[in-house]
């Protein structure tokens, strides 16, 4: 088994992450574009929430210092994100907006993307992702979908393109015919779901990794868990929360961390505290070691077997 901590590089291009003026670190993707490494996600936690509540907390996230905003067609809140961007009064050029195509049933990739832009009220997005490989009927179909994504990037309406929830076999399928490789693979990632060889494979292909549900081990997994004592130890050492440690564990491996917190205070604390400490390589590895014997997946459990650790 590969050591996940050892397999990570500073970022996808081998460069050291630098600091944004907003105190959010960034990394350079394989296409030369930069992505803020801490993102506010309008994910499944926001599904079913009232529209004005989604707009309100998203505005607060932007004002707290989050410049990377992550949404998706399937979350059904792209319009709310667009309204929040306009309400926050922050220049569009200072934001990094990600959205995702859920499926191509009854529509083309171009139509799905155009619909997302209309809902967002934007001329372009910074990152457009295939939400999963499961929308394709065959490997050839997945390759065609990716070719359509490449056309969107070529048009300039998506600065970067990537994927989400892709396993190595899915990545290998599109890489066989891709003219433009995925810039990023967004996956659930935390000590209890480390994906074995998937992350090292992404790094070997210069595909960056983004982690959603990075706090799952401290917020969603059954407790007590084997990583709990170490989370508590590191939180005491650095004078932060266990959630801060969970996010720092992702960032210190050169991966993007996406949080969906609905607490303005917590969002502000992330922006304020995360730049102020850094886990040592040994601490990163200790958390990885603590989590390897436990498996927990919080999302896409209907698509992956409960014991599927890929």
């Amino acid at each position: 088994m590969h050591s996940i901590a050892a397999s990570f590089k500073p970022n996808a291009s081998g460069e050291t992450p630098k600091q944004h003026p907003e105190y959010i670190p960034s990394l350079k993707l394989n296409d030369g574009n930069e992505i803020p490494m801490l993102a506010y996600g309008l994910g499944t936690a926001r599904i079913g929430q009232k529209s004005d509540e989604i707009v309100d907390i998203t505005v607060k996230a932007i004002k707290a210092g989050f410049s990377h905003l992550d949404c998706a067609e399937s979350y059904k809140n792209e319009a709310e994100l667009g309204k929040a961007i306009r309400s926050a009064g922050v220049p569009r050029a200072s934001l990094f907006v990600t959205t995702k195509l859920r499926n191509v049933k009854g529509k083309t990739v171009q139509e799905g993307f155009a619909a997302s832009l209309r809902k967002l009220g934007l001329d372009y997005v910074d990152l457009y992702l295939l939400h999963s490989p499961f929308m394709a009927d065959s490997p050839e179909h997945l390759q065609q979908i990716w070719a359509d994504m490449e056309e969107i990037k070529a048009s300039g309406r998506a600065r970067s393109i990537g994927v989400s929830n892709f396993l190595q076999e899915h990545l290998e399928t599109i890489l066989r015919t891709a003219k433009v490789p995925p810039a990023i693979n967004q996956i659930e990632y935390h000590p209890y779901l480390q994906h074995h060889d998937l992350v090292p494979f992404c790094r070997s292909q210069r595909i960056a990794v983004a982690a959603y549900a990075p706090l799952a081990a401290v917020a969603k997994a059954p407790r007590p868990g084997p990583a709990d004592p170490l989370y508590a130890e590191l939180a005491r050492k650095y004078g932060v929360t266990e959630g801060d440690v969970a996010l720092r564990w992702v960032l210190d491996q050169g991966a993007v961390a996406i949080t969906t917190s609905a607490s303005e205070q917590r969002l502000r604390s992330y922006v304020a505290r995360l730049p102020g400490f850094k886990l040592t390589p040994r601490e990163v590895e200790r958390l990885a070691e603590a989590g390897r014997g436990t498996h927990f997946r919080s999302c896409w459990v209907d698509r992956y077997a409960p014991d599927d650790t890929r």
Side-chain angles (χ1 to χ4, degrees), residues 137-207:
D137 299 325
S138 66
E140 293 75 19
H141 187 201
L142 186 59
Q143 291 168 343
Q144 181 56 57
I145 291 172
W146 185 252
D148 294 338
M149 294 282 287
E150 291 176 328
E151 290 184 5
I152 290 171
K153 176 175 172 57
S155 75
R157 293 176 298 154
R159 301 288 172 82
S160 298
I161 54 175
V163 298
S164 183
N165 300 296
F166 271 49
L167 301 180
Q168 181 172 335
E169 63 203 61
H170 306 127
L171 290 169
E172 289 174 336
T173 294
I174 61 175
L175 286 172
R176 281 197 291 270
T177 58
K179 296 177 181 177
V180 177
I184 201 163
N185 186 15
Q186 186 182 118
I187 55 176
E188 180 175 347
Y189 183 69
H190 47 77
Y192 298 155
L193 188 60
Q194 297 183 52
H195 298 278
H196 298 309
D197 291 339
L198 175 59
V199 174
F201 176 79
C202 288
R203 297 302 183 183
S204 74
Q205 301 298 313
R206 299 182 65 244
I207 298 171

Side-chain angles (χ1 to χ4, degrees), residues 78-151:
E78 290 172 311
E80 284 78 5
L81 174 55
K83 184 175 181 180
I85 290 171
R86 294 187 291 275
S87 299
V90 175
R92 168 67 182 94
S94 68
L95 298 174
F96 189 102
V97 178
T98 298
T99 194
K100 312 175 192 74
L101 174 70
R102 176 55 187 256
N103 63 64
V104 291
K105 305 300 182 183
K107 65 186 176 188
T108 65
V109 174
Q110 295 283 355
E111 290 168 341
F113 180 66
S116 287
L117 284 185
R118 286 195 300 271
K119 293 172 189 173
L120 288 164
L122 299 177
D123 296 326
Y124 72 95
V125 295
D126 298 273
L127 179 62
Y128 193 44
L129 304 179
L130 294 182
H131 207 148
S132 82
F134 307 122
M135 67 183 75
D137 299 325
S138 66
E140 293 75 19
H141 187 201
L142 186 59
Q143 291 168 343
Q144 181 56 57
I145 291 172
W146 185 252
D148 294 338
M149 294 282 287
E150 291 176 328
E151 290 184 5

Side-chain angles (χ1 to χ4, degrees), residues 11-25:
N11 63 38
S13 63
E15 299 177 3
T16 302
K18 69 179 185 178
Q19 202 76 10
H20 270 281
E22 299 86 356
Y23 308 108
I24 303 299

Side-chain angles (χ1 to χ4, degrees), residues 192 217 221-231 290-291 294:
Y192 298 155
R223 304 187 81 174
D228 288 356
L230 186 51
Y231 275 122
T294 300

